[in-house]
């Protein structure tokens, strides 16, 4: 599988949602050189510096190479795969039979760029009758998805910005210089910043790298974004800067919204947010006067007070100014597959009755659904390619919840903090040892998909997630040989007749045995998979995804260069996915497509969202300037920096600087506390206490401090002894501090006390 040193192989970076196309050279099992892949249809040769260090993931010292079973004393022992699969299946089946499949909770579905395995997990869940699920999106995006559903008719009507063509780009709680979020982010930011006819606007309590480039920076007081956005909207309405033709002709229920915004005391709300009123008015006028505006909201407001309201207000800014469904504005994109859950299990969680959005239970309420004597509590958990004990708020309570479960199974490449809480740990092959893909395909007007071939053979003792789920599902009796007889026969004809007979047999099976629908990924894996070239069986489910994409977006797929009727286009698209190692452009949109993708009954955008209108009114009684004597600081628990990414980078050696993950704070705060740059402080919240090194920066307001994301991981030294590097932010966060509607955590707004620590 591994190529010679002189050969460049196409793959992708796995450190953020962009998954930029890269080319790598390898030698003796290591990735030795990395460069951007110019043939990739989205990133076009772009790659940031972090991609240069991906060998730290591939060759981490805590890679797993054998299934593990917990002993009674808490230690782990290696077992073989057959034993692991049979014991796990038996124990999960016991929980299912005793308490019902709904008591088995699934968390995960794939890390950044690791989504194929999560799709195959549907079969294991179906065999168990497991209906409740969650993943990292429930810590971030579900509030935004819910707002999309209220405005546009369905949560899947997600909008994306056309930043490359926008006259004005606005970033709210977003620092794309470090966290990217759209293709070629830094190149686009530079172009925006250097063009006098365009404008870059940032709303953020930190003077980030993006804010340094901005024409306008509204440096809000931490946690006051709702006041700033309300003031911005107040100016737009009160100065009559809205697009009346758009609002009157394309939206409904606008009057109550405009009336409420007309009553906003702009000066007062600016004062509460800590921003200059005249600057807010200037920003509002620049937005209103632009031919096109694109806006990006991210974790800075999605993990802070009023997070779902923030998402609503951000979308109102571009809607009342008519920046929708035209070049340089916000549009509803195509997709190769969905990102959220499948919606099973009803609207609320079984114990607490918490709102389920896009099929996902809020991550912050998971302990509440376990640590109780409620008869419907979760009793077992499958965790795949994610680390909730470290990444979800309140790690102490998460560990307590995991200890209360009857069975915990973790599927991952490394011995994570969550794996240490498991009863069984199953080692997955790395993302560079198997066929993989990402479903973060969110672009408009052009959208791309990238199936990546392995560049290394699988590490001994590991299996891909599709194979793990196949074995579990088979052991649970979820799939029988007799169900697949006709499909196997049709697949045998593929070399001579193509996939036409297989397509007919597949549709016939779906009609005759609808109960197998949830098993579709495994059905394809076992029947179509062996016919695919180069051992690409895991890509079999993409055959179905390609056909669904061609049926859902026929005009867009046709504009991308695929021809014929729906099934013919689907086959062409699948073949392109299989064979184009740098990825494939699968849809090209006209801007009017956004209107055709609306799911409201009258094909208008409904501006009024009653639940959030009530919260907007309640802002009048809230004053964020009130001091908190016990916890006077606001801590951002998870800042993205040049030396942080997602936690699949466990080896601290990948960071070129800031190895300890310093606490950043303003010089004035440090002087008041009597601490110097490089000194130590104690950070205390209502949940925990840690010590950290200090880095002084004038990019933060007084009273605001930040810790980086991705640190506090246990990693073995060269002698094998484990050592925790840096501060784990979620030792300080509390699960009850969350948005009232979506349950998203307040990671960016943690009340804290900071004190100097003596030498």
């Amino acid at each position: 599988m591994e190529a010679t040193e002189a050969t460049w192989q196409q793959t992708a970076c796995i450190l953020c949602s962009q998954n930029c196309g890269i080319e790598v050279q390898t030698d003796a099992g290591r990735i030795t050189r990395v460069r951007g892949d110019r043939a990739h249809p989205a990133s076009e040769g772009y790659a940031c510096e972090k991609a240069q260090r991906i060998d730290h993931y591939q060759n981490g010292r805590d890679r797993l190479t054998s299934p593990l079973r917990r002993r009674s004393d808490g230690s782990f022992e290696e077992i073989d795969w057959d034993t692991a699969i049979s014991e796990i299946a038996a124990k999960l089946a016991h929980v299912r039979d005793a308490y019902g499949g709904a008591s088995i909770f699934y968390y995960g579905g794939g890390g950044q760029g690791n989504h194929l395995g999560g799709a195959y997990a549907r079969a294991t869940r179906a065999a168990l009758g497991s209906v409740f699920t969650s993943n990292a999106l429930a810590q971030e995006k579900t509030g935004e998805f819910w707002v999309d559903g209220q405005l546009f008719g369905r949560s899947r009507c997600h909008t994306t910005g056309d930043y490359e063509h926008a006259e004005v780009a606005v970033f709210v709680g977003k620092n794309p210089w470090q966290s990217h979020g759209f293709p070629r982010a830094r190149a686009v930011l530079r172009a925006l910043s250097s063009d006098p006819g365009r404008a870059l606007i940032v709303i953020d309590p930190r003077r980030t790298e993006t804010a340094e480039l901005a024409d306008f920076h509204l440096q809000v007081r931490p946690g006051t974004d709702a006041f700033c956005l309300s003031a911005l909207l107040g100016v737009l309405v009160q100065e009559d800067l809205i697009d009346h033709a758009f609002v009157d002709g394309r939206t409904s229920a606008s009057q109550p919204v405009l009336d409420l915004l007309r009553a906003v005391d702009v000066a007062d709300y600016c004062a509460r947010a800590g921003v200059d009123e005249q600057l807010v008015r200037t920003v509002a006028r620049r937005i209103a006067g632009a031919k096109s505006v694109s806006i990006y909201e991210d974790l800075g407001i999605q993990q802070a007070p009023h997070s779902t309201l923030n998402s609503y207000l951000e979308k109102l800014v571009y809607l009342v100014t008519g920046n929708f469904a035209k070049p340089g504005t916000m549009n509803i994109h195509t997709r190769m597959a969905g990102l959220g859950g499948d919606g099973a299990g009803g609207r609320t969680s079984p114990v607490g009755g918490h709102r389920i959005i896009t099929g996902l239970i809020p991550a912050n309420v998971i302990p509440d659904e376990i640590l109780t004597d409620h008869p419907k509590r979760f009793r077992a958990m499958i965790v795949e390619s994610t680390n909730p004990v470290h990444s979800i708020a309140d790690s102490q309570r998460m560990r307590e919840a995991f200890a209360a479960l009857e069975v915990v199974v973790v599927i991952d490449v490394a011995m994570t903090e969550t794996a240490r809480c498991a009863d069984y740990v199953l080692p997955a092959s790395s993302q560079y040892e198997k066929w993989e893909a990402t479903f973060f395909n969110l672009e408009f007007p052009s959208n791309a998909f990238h199936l990546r071939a392995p560049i290394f053979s699988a590490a001994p003792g590991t299996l891909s997630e599709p194979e793990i789920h196949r074995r579990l599902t088979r052991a649970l009796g979820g799939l029988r040989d007799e169900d697949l007889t006709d499909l196997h026969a049709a697949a045998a004809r593929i070399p001579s007749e193509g996939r036409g007979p297989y397509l007919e047999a597949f549709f016939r099976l779906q009609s005759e045995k609808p109960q197998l629908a949830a098993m579709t990924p495994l059905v394809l894996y076992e029947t179509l998979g062996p016919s695919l070239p180069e051992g690409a069986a895991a890509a079999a489910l993409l055959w179905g995804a390609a056909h669904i994409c061609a049926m859902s977006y026929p005009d867009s797929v046709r504009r991308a260069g695929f021809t014929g009727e729906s099934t013919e286009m689907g086959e062409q698209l699948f073949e392109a996915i299989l064979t184009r190692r740098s990825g494939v452009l699968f849809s090209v949109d006209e801007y009017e497509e956004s209107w055709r993708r609306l799911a409201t009954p009258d094909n208008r955008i409904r501006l009024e969202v009653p639940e959030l209108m009530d919260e907007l009114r309640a802002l009048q009684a809230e004053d964020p300037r009130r001091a908190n004597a016990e916890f006077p600081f606001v801590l951002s628990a998870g800042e993205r920096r040049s030396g942080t990414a997602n936690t699949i980078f466990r080896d601290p050696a990948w960071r070129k600087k800031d190895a300890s993950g310093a606490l950043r704070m303003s010089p004035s705060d440090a002087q008041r506390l009597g601490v110097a740059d490089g000194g130590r402080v104690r950070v205390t919240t209502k949940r925990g206490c840690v010590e950290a090194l200090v880095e002084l920066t004038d990019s933060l307001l007084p009273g605001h401090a930040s810790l980086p994301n991705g640190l506090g991981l246990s990693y073995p030294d060269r002698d094998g002894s484990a050592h925790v590097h840096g501060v784990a932010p979620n030792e300080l966060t509390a699960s009850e501090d969350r948005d009232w509607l979506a349950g998203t955590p307040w990671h960016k707004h943690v009340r804290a006390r900071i004190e100097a620590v003596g030498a």
Side-chain angles (χ1 to χ4, degrees), residues 149-154 252 598-606:
Q150 307 309 301
L151 295 172
F152 307 122
R154 294 184 65 186
S252 64
L598 280 186
T600 52
D602 58 0
N603 204 48
R604 287 171 172 254
I605 300 167
R606 182 174 177 83

Side-chain angles (χ1 to χ4, degrees), residues 566-579:
S566 178
T567 56
E568 186 180 355
M569 280 201 301
E571 286 295 332
Q572 289 179 19
L573 177 56
F574 179 59
E575 195 63 30
I577 289 170
L578 273 179
T579 57

Side-chain angles (χ1 to χ4, degrees), residues 67-72 75-97 104 124 128 380-382 406-410 422-426 468 471-476:
L68 301 176
R69 176 176 60 198
R70 181 181 292 279
R71 298 187 181 102
S72 58
S75 63
F76 287 92
E77 59 182 341
E78 293 187 357
I79 57 176
D80 61 77
W81 273 102
D82 288 344
T83 300
I85 294 296
S86 62
E87 289 188 7
I88 290 169
K91 291 190 176 184
L92 290 175
H94 170 74
V95 174
R96 174 196 63 193
D97 297 342
I104 302 173
T124 301
L128 291 167
M381 199 163 168
I382 301 171
E406 295 186 20
V407 187
V408 178
V409 180
V410 169
D423 298 294
Y424 292 89
V425 185
L426 300 180
I468 293 171
R471 296 187 184 193
L472 282 172
T473 302
R474 284 288 190 169
L476 290 163

Side-chain angles (χ1 to χ4, degrees), residues 532-598:
L532 300 181
E534 302 179 57
L541 69 84
L542 296 176
W543 175 78
H547 277 281
I548 292 171
C549 181
M551 289 188 288
S552 301
Y553 314 108
D555 294 336
S556 302
V557 173
R558 195 169 286 113
R559 281 190 292 267
F562 302 96
T563 59
E565 298 304 315
S566 178
T567 56
E568 186 180 355
M569 280 201 301
E571 286 295 332
Q572 289 179 19
L573 177 56
F574 179 59
E575 195 63 30
I577 289 170
L578 273 179
T579 57
R580 298 182 192 175
R581 289 290 175 264
S582 294
V584 57
L585 196 69
F586 71 87
S587 69
V588 175
D589 280 320
E590 295 175 344
Y591 290 90
E592 280 295 312
E593 288 285 358
S594 289
W595 291 115
R596 291 188 278 272
R597 289 173 189 156
L598 280 186

Side-chain angles (χ1 to χ4, degrees), residues 23-87:
E23 295 182 295
V24 301
Q25 287 185 353
T26 62
D27 183 30
R30 305 200 74 94
I31 298 171
T32 56
R33 296 183 66 189
V34 178
R35 69 185 184 192
D37 181 2
R38 295 180 183 275
H40 192 276
S43 55
E44 300 176 353
Y46 172 93
C48 77
E49 74 280 3
K50 297 180 185 182
Q52 299 294 327
R53 301 168 228 169
I54 57 175
D55 191 65
H56 287 284
Y57 159 76
Q58 173 62 25
N59 288 289
R61 286 196 291 271
D62 54 358
R63 281 287 307 273
L64 296 166
T65 56
S66 172
L68 301 176
R69 176 176 60 198
R70 181 181 292 279
R71 298 187 181 102
S72 58
D73 65 358
S75 63
F76 287 92
E77 59 182 341
E78 293 187 357
I79 57 176
D80 61 77
W81 273 102
D82 288 344
T83 300
I85 294 296
S86 62
E87 289 188 7

